[in-house]
Each structure stands twice: as structure tokens, then as C-alpha cells.
Amino acid sequence: MNKKMTITSIQKTKGVRPLVMITAYDALFAKLLEPSSDMILVGDSLNMSFAGKSDTLSATMEQMMYHTKAVCSGAKNSFVVCDMPFGTYVNKEDALANAIRVFQETSADCVKIEGGEDKADIIEHLTSNAIAVCGHIGLLPQSVRSEGGYKVKGKTEKERLQLIEDAKAVEKAGAFCMVIEGVKAEVAFEVAKSVDIPVIGIGAGAGVDGQVLVFSDMLGLFEEFTPKFVKKYMDGAALVKDAIKNYADEVKMREFPKEEHTY
Ligand code: KIV
């Protein structure tokens, strides 16, 4: 069994080896991912792939708590990150109350907050109250409606400089690592170099300190859309549909159950 990662061992990977982070939303998949991942993220992307919504904005604390508890039960030896859903960290008091709830009611190891310089005061309030925080900069899925879509960042000099400021502010506020999403690879590389904590990329190229993918994307289970940065490691949807069709055909033809499946 792999040794469970800690904030210290995660930070020590910087400059040594890339970190592997994958999302999971339930105990079943968490257990399957555990042997190959350093960190499991209970992302609010579950609102799309599991709850069938068109974005992450309606995810609630209740949903995140339920799925985080399930992941922690399935992967007891994993470092688990719980995403703070939209609207639950708009001010320091709410952020702390909600993050304390995560720490008291689940065994998640940290929370994740979307935002850079603009969220530094909130991150600082959490970290100074014993809440471990993973930052999230660049393309922020919780800002999809206010930004009018999912926009890749780092295309202009202004955005490049802001991303570096964001990373530095998140680090200074006490976050032990951060996710960087949807950023031009050369800018993400520069951002990662500008801080001493690991910067884990999704759609941010190969030059950062680790990678994170949504498990239902990488397993080809989520069919609605596939972002450019996703590599499908299997065609899960086709495999599942084939298996279900086989079962249905066998039931209809009375080929299942056979003697060996019968008491
Ligand atoms: O919710 C999520 O799965 C995430 C990843 C996209 C990093 O935040």
C-alpha cells in the first residue's frame, strides 16, 4: 500500500517529480484510483458529470459533504481535497464556517478555493485558522457565467502578469499548493517557476508541477463534451453501453442467468 501523502510530502515533490491528482466522487472509483494517485480531488465538477447540470454553480455544501465522505471511506490512504462550492466562501466568516464543517464532518485533508489575488484574504483567514488550502487560479469554472464562457488565460501580457501575481498571492496567503487551469503552457510554466509551492495543471501544459484530470473525462465516460486538454485513456462510455446491451440481449433471450448464477 502506498504511503499517504501529507502537505509536507506534497510540497517536497516540487522540482523532484510531477504530482498525480485525479477527481473522484464516490468510494467505488476512489478505491480504484487510490493506488496510482497522489491526491484525490472531490471536485465540484461532480455537479456536471454526476448531477447532470450544465455547470458547477449549483453544487451545494451538502453535495460536497456527501461525496467527500464517500471518497474518504473508499480511499482511506489518500490525500483528499474537497472543493468549496460556488457561493460558500464569499466572505471570511462564511468561508471559515463552511471549511470547518468540511474538516469536522469529513476526513478531507484540505479544501480548494477558486481565485487568486482577489481571494488572498479569504485563503489567509482559512490557513491562519488551521484549514489547509489548495488554491485554484487561471480559468475558474465557477466564473463561467460572469465571464461569458470558459476562457483560456495567459493570452495577453496583462493576463500573464496577473497570473503570476495570483500565484504569489495564493502562496503568500498560506496555500500549500494550487491548481492552474486553462492557461497557455508557456505562461503556466512561468507561473510554476514563480512560486515555491507545487502548481498542478489542468489544460496548462507539461511544464508545471503535476497534472489533474476529471476521472469521468479521462475514462471516456462523460460524453457531453471533451475539452482539448483531456486525453481519453479508455472509451468508457462505449464499453459500458456494450456491456449493458449484452446483458439486456441475454436477458431477453433467456441466456442469463445460467446454471452457475443460480441457487
Ligand atoms: O471541480 C473540478 O473537478 C476541478 C478540476 C477541474 C480541477 O476543480
Side-chain angles (χ1 to χ4, degrees):
M1 193 185 275
N2 292 342
K3 200 160 177 267
K4 180 174 168 168
M5 298 293 281
T6 63
I7 283 169
T8 312
S9 62
I10 288 166
Q11 289 188 310
K12 280 188 181 158
T13 62
K14 177 116 182 164
V16 178
R17 67 158 180 97
L19 283 163
V20 179
M21 187 195 257
I22 318 179
T23 70
Y25 312 135
D26 61 30
L28 181 71
F29 272 94
K31 204 171 202 160
L32 294 173
L33 309 181
E34 177 160 61
S36 304
S37 53
D38 293 310
M39 304 162 86
I40 297 184
L41 167 64
V42 188
D44 60 356
S45 52
L46 61 83
N47 203 44
M48 298 167 76
S49 52
F50 260 52
K53 303 284 169 35
S54 59
D55 59 35
T56 60
L57 274 68
S58 56
T60 62
M61 276 304 290
E62 274 57 45
Q63 267 172 281
M64 298 312 298
M65 301 295 283
Y66 173 83
H67 289 280
T68 301
K69 283 181 202 172
V71 167
C72 292
S73 304
K76 294 199 173 58
N77 207 35
S78 288
F79 188 98
V80 175
V81 182
C82 171
D83 231 352
M84 298 292 286
F86 179 65
T88 62
Y89 52 96
V90 287
N91 55 52
K92 290 182 190 177
E93 293 69 32
D94 284 1
L96 186 58
N98 286 317
I100 286 177
R101 221 188 128 191
V102 172
F103 269 35
Q104 286 187 330
E105 294 177 36
T106 81
S107 39
D109 298 280
C110 76
V111 298
K112 180 165 80 58
I113 299 266
E114 288 187 13
E117 210 175 11
D118 58 326
K119 289 287 182 297
D121 60 333
I122 304 236
I123 296 173
E124 208 273 325
H125 191 56
L126 296 185
T127 56
S128 60
N129 281 285
I131 304 289
V133 176
C134 167
H136 184 152
I137 64 169
L139 183 158
L140 307 178
Q142 292 178 8
S143 302
V144 61
R145 294 191 205 166
S146 62
E147 296 222 332
Y150 297 106
K151 307 259 167 72
V152 173
K153 296 286 159 66
K155 288 182 168 174
T156 63
E157 182 59 7
K158 192 173 166 211
E159 283 180 359
R160 182 183 79 84
L161 293 172
Q162 184 59 56
L163 282 162
I164 293 171
E165 283 316 304
D166 284 340
K168 288 184 173 169
V170 166
E171 177 179 46
K172 189 158 175 255
F176 72 96
C177 75
M178 74 189 83
V179 166
I180 186 166
E181 179 166 359
V183 169
K184 298 286 285 177
E186 61 277 15
V187 175
F189 173 74
E190 210 185 326
V191 169
K193 287 273 164 283
S194 71
V195 291
D196 291 327
I197 58 175
V199 176
I200 303 168
I202 175 163
V208 288
D209 306 310
Q211 297 292 328
V212 50
L213 279 180
V214 171
F215 86 95
S216 41
D217 288 340
M218 63 170 297
L219 298 183
L221 292 165
F222 186 67
E223 291 186 292
E224 312 311 309
F225 62 91
T226 307
K228 177 181 161 72
F229 59 79
V230 171
K231 176 171 176 184
K232 287 191 180 181
Y233 285 84
M234 65 183 239
D235 191 353
L239 288 171
V240 170
K241 284 181 194 171
D242 267 10
I244 303 297
K245 184 168 182 315
N246 273 342
Y247 162 69
D249 289 347
E250 289 190 6
V251 169
K252 286 176 203 156
M253 292 184 296
R254 294 199 182 277
E255 281 181 8
F256 175 83
K258 288 201 168 29
E259 190 60 33
E260 67 261 36
H261 309 116
T262 306
Y263 293 108

